[in-house]
Structure formats: structure tokens, C-alpha cells
Amino acid sequence: MYTRLSLLFILIVQFSFSQAALKGSIVNQNNESIPFASVIIKNTNYGASADADGNFKINAIEAGDYILKISSVGYTTLEYAIAINNSQTQSIKIELTTDGSLEEVEVFGSRFTHPDKIEALTRLPLEPYDQIQSISIISEKLIEQQGNLTISDATKNVPGVYTFATYGNKRESMSSRGFRGIPILKNGVRVHSDFRGTGILTDMQGVDNIQVLKGAAAITQGVATDIGSPGGIINIVTKTPKYYFGGNASLRLGSFGQARTTFDVFGPLAETENVAFRINGALERADSYRSGISSDRFYINPSLEWKVDDKTKVTLEMDYFEDSRTPDLGTVNLGANDKNNIYDLPESQFLGFANDKSLTTSTSYSIRFDRELSNNLTLKAALYKSNLDLDDKGASLGNVIEDELGAPIYNQVKRGYTTSTRSDDNSVLQFDLIGEDVNTGSISHTFQVGFDYRTINYSTFSQSVATVDSINVFTANTHVLPSDLAFSAPITAGAKSKALGFVAQDVITFNKYLKTFIGLRYSKTQSITVTETTESDAFNPLFGVIVSPFKNVNVFTSYTNSSYPRTATRLDVNGSELGNERFDQFEAGIKTNWLDSRLRFNFTFFKINNKDINLPVYDENWVATGYFQKGGNDERKGIEVELSGRVLENLEVITGYSYIDAQYKEHTSYVYGSAPLNTPKHTFNAYANYSFKQRLKGLSIGAGVYYTGERPINDWSSGAVTHEGIVPNQEPFNVEAYTQVNVQAGYRFNKHWNTRLLLNNAFNEIGYNAYRTSFINQTDPRNFSGILTYSF
């Protein structure tokens, strides 16, 4: 027995001496630690994760020769040969280099290449810095830092972009450069096809980046009633697969009963790593600061990418969104429309009915095909499709009650009821042949030749009761909808439209100091309604110059125009069609790029004129004559200033300012010099996020300030226009300016767990957005939320 025990003791001692430990640190090229890097000994079960300081340790390793595999997101995976001795702990230091394919993401997006899917709009393989137009990018990183949940939350980081209206907090309609409701796209295709930009809802969980394009967008996208809007466009880009495994799940709890869960999982599907997937989603329910209002939503976004070979890639995506919410009528103005007497409606007051409900269901799909034909030529093809279904049932506010003498009692209004539906089916098929750095002698060309085919098919239904009852906004009111409503006759509408476009662009680089942009687009559109079929076509040119007097400084100027065919069939006094209207756009500015693409500063001046309007002609009593004439001059001009990026390694900033001078000039319907509704002259945004690198490592603190200037609640009619609350010759009041301050703090405990605390509207300053006099909705009061995230 003693012999056996002795042998066992010898074996234990021998085994213990044949094992060792390995410890080390992981750093980058700047000798900065890389937290939570993964260290694996290949073909074994040994491995460890680095801590927050980049240090790791692996114990009980048998002696022998091994290969270490070290990896971290954003860095090239490194394999490192090492010999483990039969002895004590060994120490090593390993340096990882930035992975060019896993681009470093800043608050404005990827540092070294153009953002994902931006070519669906610009059609050129250029970074925003090298484009001839004003482009702002909002990255997933910024959306996560700020805890953004809406389009307006995110785009307030872009100078000159502001909320046009929310229509009872059931849509998000955004404006820019004084144009009402610019188009909002998802992956390059419209979701809601209303040319006025009524807006959409979406979920931020699936957003990879948001692209705001202004200026010369028309040359690549078509006519002004589609997405060639002279005011710009907003493109929401969904997340796509990654070829390394990872993901996260989070829980968010906040004020007003908010409970939100999200997940995101991605990675390769095969060891060959030529097929990857991604799926992310969200489930949320919430109440509101206003009694009687709640919302629920569901979102899921799966995608698949297949690298057929080293030159061919196919990407499939789907995006599905459901939202159910109680619309909020908001408040009223206690006076005539020339005086701002917006009533601060108590949060306990809800002016609608208990069964008011707004339902939104939207689905978008995309198939993208990329094929490298040579080192300089690429063929891109894409099919984008979207479906939108809206079902709205809710109260409406009508005229104020008058006393026996006919004097208005502004706190008493008639309440109506409306039910409506809308269905949209939109699609885009797009092909592009792209050449990059193709030389003809000493001149280099980056060009694009392609076409797109767009279809829009929508139908609407509505019926209403003009007056259900009368309510007093100072007192509690019934929320029970009567069962014996006498609805008006249903109103149905719908249309189909098709648009075919051919576009060619050439960016000619003469030398490092000078390049020119030349482009031409031909658009042919057809619109089919129950009563008529109309067709129009248009040629739209683009010309621009970029001068680079110094490294990282581009001075640019451009001209383009976009056509507006919606009123092209209007007849003049001789019975002849007046043809398309036209917007002329001039833009000039400076784009700079500093600190190895970590910091960007842009300055833009723009001037947009519509001097070719098909205007109605009125007689001396403001009665329409029935014919139209060319004329007018609606002008928008101003400046936009933007600074974004990392000023220091641990300090990120985004600042912006815009000045918009929008005026109706030489117009037959509106007062000369008056501004379009909801157009602020000034907007300002500033955001900073500081991450602690030494003491308090893992902690980050951020704050943002957002200012929206005063703006007219309605258009100022010179005598002819009387609809939607407009009183002829009465100057509409201005909605007051407001400033909101948001604060965030985050802490990463380790590789897997982090938390974030959000305080929005910290000083509880209430502002308003309004659609004429139909909806006056306030901004959310002070609110809190906390987010706990597990990453893997």
C-alpha cells in the first residue's frame, strides 16, 4: 500500500512540474491596452479573455510547442508561436494591428471607407469627404451612446435637420433647408410614398447608420416628387452580417412604464467563412407622460451574406416592424392664429377617445449583388422593396365654439372622429457599372453608369364624422366614443406610378489639387390614377469642382437642378400645358479631414430657387380664374457648419449650426418674404462623450444640447389660400424656440456586461411641434431610463 501511495505522489509531483502558466498583455500599435481581447491556444482547451487593462493569464498548461490565436473586434487576428517550458510562469506582450476590413467606427461612421449602402444613393464609391454634396453620417455607435429610439432623436445631431410634424405622435416627418417633410428611405427605397414627406416610424435596433444627403441628390435619384428632393433625403441603413461571431442582448427600463428588450446575433455559418448571418430584434411596450396613452412594438431584422468567390458577393436582407399606439391630439391655441397662446395642457388631460389607435406595419426587403469585373470595374445590382400598411382611428379637433354674440370660446372645441387606412407598395431595381481610378494618360476617372426602375402603388380610404361632441380643454371630458356615429361617405384614392432613370457621372481627377464632377440624369415618369394617366420626362445636369489647396482640405462648389412634374399638366390661358417646374441648386463649401480621419469639419453654403412655378392666377377678388402661369421665386438659402469626431483619444464631439433663410418671393398665393410653415431660421446641436482611460476606467459620460429656433405655425396667405387653419392676410404666430439637454453615463464592468443611464430633457423645457392648427404636440418632459447589456 505504501508503495502505491509513493508512486501516486511521484506522479502528482511530476505532473505538477510539467505544467506552467502563461501571462501577458495585449496592446495596439500605439502601445495602448486592448481590453477584453480573446487569447486561445489552438487545438487545446486552454484560453482566456483579457481584462479591462488588456492583461490575461492561462494556468496549468502542459509543456510543449503551441500556437496562440489572439483576436479582438477591430483588429487583425494574430497567430503567435510559443514554447511552454516545464517551469514557472512565462510573460509575453502581444501587439495587434487595426483590421482594415473591420473599420474603426467613429460617431460619424466608418473612418476609412464610405458607409454601408450609401452607394444606393450617391452611386459612387467615394467617402462622404470626397463627395460633391453635403453628407452627414450618424453611426450605430452614436445611436447606442445616446440611447436614441427615434429618427428625430438621431437626426438632431445633423445641422439643419428638424422635426416638421408628428401628426399626433404617430409619424416622424423630418425637414431640412426649409422644405416640408423630406423623403425618409430605408435601404435606399421609400417606405411612405407621399411626396409631401408625411413620415414614417421605425426602430433603431436594426440601424447600422443613418445617412443625411443634401444638395445634389437629384442627379442620382430623380424628380423632386420622388427622392430627388432639393431639401435632401434621409436614408436609414439596416445592419448586415459580420464574419466573426458575436452579439448582445439588452434590457431597457424607463419612465412612463417603458420596458424594452433587444438582441443582436451575428457570425459566420461555415468554417470557410464565406457565408455569414445576422439577426436582431426588439420588443417594447410603454405608456406616456399623458394619461390614456400607450404603445407596443415588435421588430426583427434578419440578413444573410454569401461571398460566392473572392470577387462576388450577394446580400439578402429583411426588415419587419409593427407598431401599435394611441395617437395624442396634443393641445390647442387659446386665441386667434396670429397670437401664440398655446395651452399648457395638464398631463392628466387626454382629448381623444379611449379606442383611438394608430397601427403601423412595414416590411422591407433587399437583394444586393456585387461583382468585381477587374481591379478597376465593378458591377452592382440591387432590388429594394418596401410595404407599408397604416390603420388610423382617432379623434380630431375642429372649430372653436362661439357664444351667442359669435365670439369664439377658445377653450371649447368641436371634436370629430376619423378612420383611415393607407397601403403602400414601393420597389426599386438598380444597376450600376462603376469604375474606380481608371486612367486616361495622366488623368484619373471614377465614374458610374447605370439605370433605375421605380414603382409606387398606393391606395387610401377614409371616412369621418365632422362633429361627435364638444369638449372643454379646461375640464375632464368623456373618452367614450358613441356607437351611433353617422360617418360621411367613404373617400378612396390611389395611384400607380413608374419611373425610369438613366444616370452617368464622372469624377475627373487632374492632379492632387483639382477634380471635377460631371453628371447627367434622364428621368421618365408615368402616373396612373382612376381619372387620368400623365407622363413627363426631364434632363437634370450636375457640375461641380473640388479644389484641394492643402492636404485634408477640399473646397467644393456644385450646381444641379431637379424637376417637379406633379403640376406639369396645368394649363395656361391658351390651354397649353405648362410642363415641369424646376429647382435650381447651388452649393459651395469646405470639407476637412484631420487626425487620421478621426475628426471632420464641414462648412456649406446653399441656395435653392424655384423660379419656374406653375402658379394659379386669381382675379382682383382672389377668385381663381382656372388657368395658371409661370412665375414666382421660392428661395431657400443659408449655411451649415459641422464638426464631428474624436478631438482626443477619449473625447468625442459632434457640433453643428444651421441658418436657413426660406422665403416665398414673387408668389401669387403667399405674402412676399414670408417663410414656409415650421421653418426655423436657426438650429444648433452640440454633443460630447468622454471615456476614462486610466482612473475610473470603463466609465464614460456624455451630454448633448439641442436648440430649435422659433418658426411659423402656418403659411401666410396673401388672400387666396384658406385651407387647414390658414386665415387670408393674417400673419401666423411663431412657435417658440426651445433648448433640450440630454445626459448619459455608461460603465463597462468587463468583457460581457455594461450599463448605461440616460437622462433626457434634463431641465424639463417643453417645446412644441405643430402641423398647422390640426396638431400641436409637445416634446417629452424630463425622463429617465437605464440599459443593461450583455455582450458575447
Side-chain angles (χ1 to χ4, degrees), residues 72-76 97-119 126-128 137 139-141 208-209 211 240-244 305 307 313 596-598 600 646:
S72 182
V73 175
Y75 295 89
T76 301
T97 57
T98 302
D99 186 347
S101 63
L102 297 175
E103 302 149 18
E104 291 189 67
V105 178
E106 304 294 349
V107 288
F108 54 73
S110 301
R111 281 173 57 185
F112 300 113
T113 61
H114 60 285
D116 188 28
K117 283 180 252 184
I118 198 170
E119 68 277 2
L126 299 176
E127 298 180 53
I137 307 296
S139 71
E140 175 192 2
K141 178 181 180 180
D208 177 82
N209 68 85
Q211 304 158 359
T240 51
K242 297 179 182 291
Y243 285 89
Y244 58 91
E305 186 171 282
K307 293 181 178 178
K313 182 173 67 175
D596 192 27
S597 297
R598 293 206 317 263
R600 299 177 182 179
R646 276 195 285 162

Side-chain angles (χ1 to χ4, degrees), residues 123-124 379 431-435 447-451 503-505:
R123 315 284 281 267
L124 286 170
L379 176 65
F431 287 90
D432 290 300
L433 177 65
I434 295 174
F447 64 85
Q448 172 267 335
V449 179
F451 80 90
V503 60
Q505 301 175 86

Side-chain angles (χ1 to χ4, degrees), residues 256 288-293 328-332 334 341-352 411 471-477 479 764 766 768 776-779 781:
F256 318 128
S288 168
Y289 62 88
R290 189 168 308 287
S291 299
I293 291 179
D328 182 3
L329 283 173
T331 186
V332 298
L334 298 175
N341 290 308
I342 293 178
Y343 176 47
D344 184 14
L345 187 72
E347 294 179 2
S348 60
Q349 284 280 73
F350 171 52
L351 303 184
N411 60 296
I471 59 174
N472 185 341
V473 299
F474 292 161
T475 63
N477 298 281
H479 302 305
N764 203 33
I766 301 303
Y768 291 92
I776 303 177
N777 293 112
Q778 75 164 63
T779 56

Side-chain angles (χ1 to χ4, degrees), residues 245-365:
F245 183 76
N248 62 73
S250 74
L251 172 65
R252 176 171 177 159
L253 300 175
S255 301
F256 318 128
Q258 183 191 49
R260 174 180 170 87
T261 59
T262 66
F263 71 91
D264 184 8
V265 183
F266 51 81
L269 281 178
E271 291 185 3
T272 55
E273 296 190 349
N274 67 333
V275 180
F277 78 98
R278 188 165 192 172
I279 181 168
N280 59 85
L283 185 65
E284 179 182 345
R285 65 90 49 214
D287 296 317
S288 168
Y289 62 88
R290 189 168 308 287
S291 299
I293 291 179
S294 62
S295 65
D296 298 277
R297 66 171 46 183
F298 169 74
Y299 173 81
I300 193 163
N301 168 228
S303 58
L304 186 73
E305 186 171 282
W306 176 29
K307 293 181 178 178
V308 181
D309 53 41
D310 59 350
K311 295 185 177 181
T312 309
K313 182 173 67 175
V314 178
T315 307
L316 308 176
E317 298 175 65
M318 188 193 86
D319 188 88
Y320 179 81
F321 174 74
E322 282 185 6
D323 184 274
S324 172
R325 63 181 53 231
T326 310
D328 182 3
L329 283 173
T331 186
V332 298
N333 188 55
L334 298 175
N337 290 334
D338 58 346
K339 292 181 176 62
N340 185 340
N341 290 308
I342 293 178
Y343 176 47
D344 184 14
L345 187 72
E347 294 179 2
S348 60
Q349 284 280 73
F350 171 52
L351 303 184
F353 296 108
N355 66 329
D356 291 357
K357 190 66 66 177
S358 176
L359 305 177
T360 299
T361 304
S362 67
T363 311
S364 64
Y365 311 87

